[in-house]
Amino acid sequence: DLQLSRFSLHQALRREVRQLEPLARAKGLSLTVESPDTIFLHVDRSKLCRALGNLIGNATKFTEVGAIVVSGRRVAGGAVEVSVRDSGVSS
């Protein structure tokens, strides 16, 4: 079942990043959020945050040096794009 609610994307991203900051800091990684605080979503917050936590967690676990940037932005058609970029090995 979906539990829809309205909330700030920026605040959701910050919350997920805060949970992983101790691990990132222990590894010497920079972990930042780049998202305007003007984007609000109407989705199942729990499910979205679970997916975000998994993506950010994987980036934190598998990045040895450098930085992880979590960003959110509005794109064409009113959609929202969320990305997790890291400085880990690319194939």
Side-chain angles (χ1 to χ4, degrees), residues 4-91:
L4 301 178
S5 63
R6 186 174 188 272
F7 58 92
S8 162
L9 174 63
H10 181 79
Q11 289 177 357
L13 295 176
R14 282 291 316 139
R15 179 176 174 251
E16 295 306 312
V17 163
R18 260 194 309 272
Q19 292 182 33
L20 289 157
E21 279 178 332
L23 176 59
R25 194 174 20 257
K27 292 180 74 174
L29 300 172
S30 165
L31 180 55
T32 59
V33 173
E34 294 178 352
S35 177
D37 58 4
T38 56
I39 298 174
F40 286 83
L41 304 176
H42 187 245
V43 300
D44 188 314
R45 183 181 187 139
S46 173
K47 288 181 179 17
L48 175 65
C49 288
R50 188 176 313 129
L52 290 171
N54 287 336
L55 291 169
I56 300 165
N58 285 343
T60 305
K61 287 178 202 168
F62 299 112
T63 300
E64 295 301 322
V65 295
I68 300 164
V69 179
V70 180
S71 62
R73 67 185 184 111
R74 190 146 319 266
V75 294
V80 172
E81 176 183 87
V82 174
S83 68
V84 178
R85 297 184 316 270
D86 63 62
S87 58
V89 177
S90 60
S91 52

